[in-house]
Amino acid sequence: MKDDVLILIGYSQHSDDEIMLDALRQVAFMTGNGVYPTPPVLMTAFQPILNAFTVAVANASMGGVGLTSIKNDKRVLLEAAMVSNGGYVQITCGNDRTKAISSGYYLGSTNTAKVGPLAKIALIKFSDGLNPGQTKMKAKKPKNANSMIWMYTQGTGPSAIWITVTSSRGTFTVRDLISGQPLRAKSAGQGASEEIVWSDEFTFPMVR
């Protein structure tokens, strides 16, 4: 049986230098890569985001609360682009390890023993993100799970379009939402079993 491919897209523990190196690697591997022709953030748009963060890091090294705040804001944008494209790679690679490696993203361990279905997530907590149109989702990562998978929508009824993303941790910040409307979401652990056990659907009443 082919091992499950896990794209690592968690950057909260990265230093500024580490996240820049990861971003440079992704640019080098994704540019002109026919396996991934339409990432959510095209390389022509990704490179300026990386450049802006690089400049902000250099400026912040001179000290000052204001310059550090600007740097942090630019980092949020870069992380969002990397996570968005990582979710695209996770789906598009088709569980093919060679294709996944060609993206420039690092892969998680696939040595986890199959332990049967993971525990069902009992609760998703929501909180406002840093900026309007952003909401942070948090859930307890099930034991033996390598990563988390999230589905969310602001649509209603059977025609609602659900977006699927993955994260290495039990948190994920949704961006580009419509302020003033509710957000519905569900989540599950993945990686230790082929069976996905989804949580119930939870609703955040109103996106800021």
Side-chain angles (χ1 to χ4, degrees), residues 127-199:
S127 59
D128 291 331
L130 292 175
N131 301 304
Q134 297 180 357
T135 298
K136 184 176 182 179
M137 303 187 293
K138 182 178 182 180
K140 183 177 180 181
K141 189 175 179 180
K143 183 180 179 181
N144 296 316
N146 286 335
S147 63
M148 296 281 286
I149 183 169
W150 309 82
M151 290 185 69
Y152 66 90
T153 185
Q154 285 191 286
T156 58
S159 62
I161 298 175
W162 288 80
I163 298 173
T164 303
V165 294
T166 59
S167 67
S168 60
R169 294 176 174 269
T171 60
F172 184 79
T173 298
V174 189
R175 295 174 171 83
D176 299 322
L177 297 171
I178 301 173
S179 296
Q181 293 191 10
L183 171 69
R184 294 186 290 145
K186 55 185 178 180
S187 64
Q190 64 176 357
S193 171
E194 294 178 357
E195 181 179 348
I196 299 296
V197 180
W198 287 102
S199 71

Side-chain angles (χ1 to χ4, degrees), residues 12-73:
S12 62
Q13 302 302 313
H14 279 47
S15 68
D16 291 337
D17 287 341
E18 287 172 336
I19 200 170
M20 281 193 291
L21 288 173
D22 274 19
L24 285 169
R25 175 183 170 90
Q26 290 162 22
V27 169
F29 279 70
M30 292 282 284
T31 299
N33 189 333
V35 177
Y36 305 104
T38 56
V41 184
L42 297 172
M43 291 301 102
T44 52
F46 186 93
Q47 185 68 63
I49 296 173
L50 172 57
N51 292 346
F53 176 64
T54 303
V55 170
V57 169
N59 289 338
S61 67
M62 296 183 289
V65 174
L67 292 176
T68 299
S69 178
I70 292 172
K71 183 265 293 182
N72 290 340
D73 289 343

